Every structure is written in C-alpha cells, then in structure tokens.
Amino acid sequence: QVQLVESGGGLVQPGGSLRLSCVASGVASRNMFSLYTMDWYRQAPGKERRWVAKITSGSTTTYADSVKARFTISRNNAKKTMYLQMNSLKPEDTAVYYCKASNYPDVYWGQGTQVTVSS
C-alpha cells in the first residue's frame, strides 16, 4: 500500500515562498515511483478541492492558470519525492495542499499540509 506524506506548509507573508514536499513510501522501487503521475491539489476553507499542478512520469509539467509562473512542480525519483516550489504567494493561496499519485487503476492521496498566507 502506497502512502504519501506532505510537509513544508506553514504561515508565510504575502510575497513569500514555501517549498512543499510529498514523500512516497510503500513503493517497491524508485523505478516504480517514476511510473506514477503526481499531482498537487489544494482545498481552501469552504471550497472544493482544486487541481494545482501535475508532473508526469516523463516529467512533463502542467499548471492551473492561477499558479502559473509562480509555482514549480518537480520530482526526484531516487528519493521517491515530489516538490512544489511556491513563490510570490498570495492570500488566496491559503489552503490545505494535497499530493496525489496515480498509475491506473491505482490512486493514492496524502493527508495534506496547511499553507497560510497572511500578514
């Protein structure tokens, strides 16, 4: 059973930066991890969970318009870890951030990490 653990959240002022990490355990090998498509989602209070960014097994990346040019998704297959570098943070980026790993038909979610952007 694959487990995902996010970390790196916290309180940051507008304009600041944070780097989130998502570490996978229970994956047989780094090669197996490399097959997963990895996503970041976020959920603000009282709102639906929304997709933020994706990185494929071939390291192709895509972003939601709201974070494009500010956020960067990356992965280190040797460490079975995915990252989200978040720059120029805005109060509207405040949310719980979740990572997701998928390799059809399997889908796994982490438990989330809180990001709060406030002065």
Side-chain angles (χ1 to χ4, degrees):
Q1 180 74 8
V2 174
Q3 293 187 323
L4 303 175
V5 178
E6 302 95 334
S7 63
L11 173 64
V12 63
Q13 292 186 342
S17 297
L18 283 175
R19 188 175 84 152
L20 306 184
S21 298
C22 171
V23 179
S25 62
V27 182
S29 67
R30 66 183 69 177
N31 288 335
M32 285 297 297
F33 177 79
S34 71
L35 296 178
Y36 284 92
T37 292
M38 304 294 294
D39 296 81
W40 286 100
Y41 284 75
R42 66 186 182 186
Q43 187 167 18
K47 296 188 176 181
E48 294 182 348
R49 190 174 299 188
R50 301 190 72 172
W51 173 76
V52 174
K54 175 190 299 287
I55 185 165
T56 68
S57 59
S59 293
T60 298
T61 59
T62 51
Y63 298 91
D65 287 343
S66 59
V67 306
K68 203 172 292 184
R70 298 188 299 122
F71 290 10
T72 302
I73 189 172
S74 62
R75 66 193 297 164
N76 183 327
N77 292 330
K79 294 185 176 180
K80 302 177 188 177
T81 301
M82 172 180 66
Y83 304 96
L84 186 68
Q85 177 67 43
M86 305 186 295
N87 299 328
S88 303
L89 283 162
K90 305 175 181 180
E92 51 263 43
D93 294 318
T94 295
V96 177
Y97 283 71
Y98 299 89
C99 63
K100 185 182 85 171
S102 55
N103 186 21
Y104 183 82
D106 301 320
V107 179
Y108 304 99
W109 289 90
Q111 84 291 345
T113 186
Q114 175 71 48
V115 171
T116 303
V117 185
S118 174
S119 55

